Amino acid sequence: MLLVAHRTPRTPDACAAFAAAGAWCFEVDVQLRDDRVVASHFLPFLRVRGWFEHDGRRFRWRGGPPFDPDLDDVVARVPDDRLILLDPKETDPRRRARLVDALAERLPQRDRFRVSTDDADDLARYRAAGFRTWRTLKTPADLSAACDGDGADDAVSVRHSLLTAGTVAALHRMSRPVVAWTVNDAGRARDLRDLGVDAITTDRLLEFAPLVGAPRE
């Protein structure tokens, strides 16, 4: 089983330590800030765009300290031999389309990037722009649709609570690698490994490294 770092560390040294511990992929939440593509976990409070944002239970004024770094700066931290998973966080359809164009412009080398979202239209746009995609599955309905789908995405990224021996087997029958998110309990990580899950996304990467072994090349 492979490891995905849920949040890319803030320094190159920390990213190198994650890679040495077995991080196969680093996740980066991406948004637009005027003409910039930034890495940010903060979302509009109550889904209303304005100046107040939240990241779980953390709140801030939009764009306030710590300031959101440019995507280019975050990409530069990650070792060249590791994948980067882009998680688009724009909610407005027009801004989502602009983000596709902005990422295509800024990332001419697509091979090391994957894009994960639950919106089928956005996934198609990213594939048309040359990105490889993972379909995000958040609900039982998403899971059912993926098991009956066309397999256009490289993998599925599934809320871990949806995964059982039966659902993992069904997804594998579609020739789809299964990435479970977000797994921060060691017992659950072991269970998912035993179910045959291909990768887990975690905030506890350094602690989980002994559970899952070294990354596959």
Side-chain angles (χ1 to χ4, degrees):
M1 185 165 66
L2 304 176
L3 290 171
V4 178
H6 183 214
R7 295 191 173 186
T8 297
R10 296 182 179 180
T11 67
D13 287 346
C15 288
F18 273 35
W24 160 67
C25 182
F26 290 76
E27 183 175 349
V28 182
D29 290 353
V30 288
Q31 300 184 49
L32 293 170
R33 288 283 189 267
D34 299 321
D35 61 345
R36 301 165 57 217
V37 179
V38 302
S40 179
H41 307 292
F42 282 87
L43 301 173
F45 185 58
L46 298 179
R47 300 178 67 87
V48 177
R49 293 198 63 81
W51 294 100
F52 202 46
E53 299 178 319
H54 75 104
D55 174 17
R57 295 182 180 180
R58 295 191 301 156
F59 295 88
R60 72 172 190 182
W61 296 110
R62 181 174 182 262
F67 295 103
D68 298 323
D70 285 338
L71 175 61
D72 291 346
D73 295 335
V74 178
V75 169
R77 301 174 197 163
V78 178
D80 291 340
D81 61 346
R82 295 298 185 258
L83 293 179
I84 295 175
L85 175 65
L86 303 174
D87 187 354
K89 291 300 184 184
E90 291 293 343
T91 55
D92 180 87
R94 291 169 297 179
R95 292 180 64 85
R96 296 204 310 265
R98 285 177 52 205
L99 181 57
V100 176
D101 294 338
L103 288 170
E105 178 182 349
R106 285 162 174 76
L107 303 173
Q109 302 299 324
R110 312 275 203 272
D111 288 349
R112 73 178 301 207
F113 296 95
R114 304 291 184 270
V115 181
S116 184
T117 180
D118 61 345
D119 188 282
D121 291 336
D122 285 355
L123 288 167
R125 291 189 187 100
Y126 280 106
R127 288 194 297 272
F131 290 98
R132 296 164 69 178
T133 57
W134 296 359
R135 183 178 296 270
T136 302
L137 308 180
K138 298 179 178 179
T139 68
D142 292 339
L143 183 63
S144 177
C147 290
D148 296 332
D150 58 12
D153 306 293
D154 277 28
V156 289
S157 182
V158 190
R159 187 189 300 274
H160 77 86
S161 59
L162 297 176
L163 292 171
T164 64
T167 55
V168 172
L171 290 167
H172 280 162
R173 284 195 293 272
M174 296 292 297
S175 299
R176 293 188 175 185
V178 176
V179 182
W181 56 269
T182 299
V183 185
N184 290 325
D185 177 80
R188 181 58 173 161
R190 292 189 189 94
D191 290 344
L192 293 167
R193 176 194 61 192
D194 294 343
L195 291 177
V197 166
D198 299 280
I200 62 169
T201 299
T202 181
D203 295 301
R204 299 175 60 188
L205 189 139
L206 296 177
E207 297 172 58
F208 284 9
L211 298 178
V212 299
R216 292 177 293 189
E217 298 297 336

